[in-house]
Amino acid sequence: MRESEQAVKPVWAIATVVLLTGMIVAGLRWPSLTDAGNPLLELTKLLLAAGVGVLVSSAHRRSNRDKLSRSTQQAEILLCVAGAMMMIIIGNSTARALGIAGGASIIRFRTPVKDPKDAIVFLLMLGLGMSCGLGNFAVAAFGAIFLSLFLLMLVRVGAEKQRAMMLEMTADGQKFPTEHVQSILARYQIPFEPRELKQGKDATVRYHVKLDTTISLEDLSAQLVNGSGGLKSVSWDNGK
């Protein structure tokens, strides 16, 4: 799985460079493409909005210490496309703008956005989509580059160097793979302290650990479970 991910990275990087370069060149050559009578142009705007949404959503995912949910990523991309489509439909018509505003007021999002940063990213994605819909491709490209880099930089702003957590692991049986677990923690240079051992049908051990904020809990959990030959579940909780 990891080898396939490594193979995709160069392709993803090349596609990103081609997309942004093409948008910048097109935007500088044609500052504002608003020909509403050309369906291919409107389709291009939607495709570019989708590309920008994927790029910024990927940067947002990488900037989050805890991985974004799949639905959140998809919502960001769709919101960028929605912004472009709204601008295409509205054009220069005030009546259309009022109609879309009235229709949008009917929609109610019941899922709360827990992180304020995610709410701001939603708003910015809508703005990038609108830029694509207006044909301001250079503005959208530069905005996507700036937002992606800024999100990645924000990881270091106000971030704690370490976080204390409780690591609970359940073995597949009564024998706990201590050597495997401790070797993984040592590889990541994670200080740990055994706190509790429960013996039963399946042995359960709790460790108090201190993790660097750059370490992904999802990746670390996968390494603890996969190939251990003994762990069947791993869970994390804020340690005290």
Side-chain angles (χ1 to χ4, degrees), residues 5-216:
E5 291 178 354
Q6 292 292 335
V8 168
K9 285 183 178 180
V11 178
W12 168 249
I14 293 173
T16 301
V17 172
V18 171
L19 171 67
L20 295 175
T21 302
M23 291 180 67
I24 292 172
V25 171
L28 294 176
R29 185 169 182 181
W30 302 288
S32 182
L33 296 174
T34 56
D35 183 9
N38 190 338
L40 292 179
L41 175 59
E42 310 304 353
L43 176 60
T44 301
K45 292 177 181 179
L46 294 176
L47 292 175
L48 291 178
V52 168
V54 171
L55 170 63
V56 177
S57 180
S58 177
H60 187 200
R61 177 179 60 82
R62 293 176 181 275
S63 69
N64 268 33
R65 183 177 65 184
D66 300 321
K67 299 297 185 181
L68 288 179
S69 66
R70 184 179 180 184
S71 61
T72 299
Q73 289 183 265
Q74 292 175 346
E76 290 177 345
I77 298 170
L78 288 173
L79 193 59
C80 194
V81 175
M85 183 169 288
M86 284 190 294
M87 290 297 99
I88 292 172
I89 294 173
I90 291 172
N92 296 323
S93 173
T94 304
R96 293 178 186 175
L98 294 175
I100 288 181
S105 65
I106 300 174
I107 301 174
R108 295 291 184 269
F109 294 99
R110 299 298 182 184
T111 303
V113 180
K114 298 180 180 179
D115 191 342
K117 186 181 74 172
D118 294 344
I120 300 300
V121 171
F122 282 145
L123 180 61
L124 293 171
M125 294 287 268
L126 182 62
L128 291 175
M130 288 181 173
S131 296
C132 292
L134 289 171
N136 297 326
F137 298 145
V139 173
F142 283 123
I145 294 172
F146 174 80
L147 181 56
S148 298
L149 294 177
F150 195 66
L151 284 171
L152 295 174
M153 289 174 57
L154 282 178
V155 178
R156 302 182 178 275
V157 176
E160 298 178 355
K161 292 184 178 180
Q162 285 189 331
R163 48 180 167 164
M165 303 196 75
M166 291 299 299
L167 167 60
E168 181 175 310
M169 298 161 288
T170 302
D172 187 11
Q174 296 182 345
K175 184 178 180 181
F176 187 81
T178 304
E179 183 177 348
H180 167 75
V181 171
Q182 294 185 357
S183 66
I184 296 293
L185 297 178
R187 185 187 310 167
Y188 280 86
Q189 298 180 349
I190 299 174
F192 63 90
E193 178 184 348
R195 286 292 179 88
E196 185 180 359
L197 170 62
K198 296 180 181 178
Q199 289 287 359
K201 180 180 179 181
D202 298 319
T204 300
V205 175
R206 287 168 60 88
Y207 281 7
H208 182 268
V209 298
K210 290 185 177 180
L211 295 148
D212 191 283
T213 55
T214 59
I215 295 177
S216 168

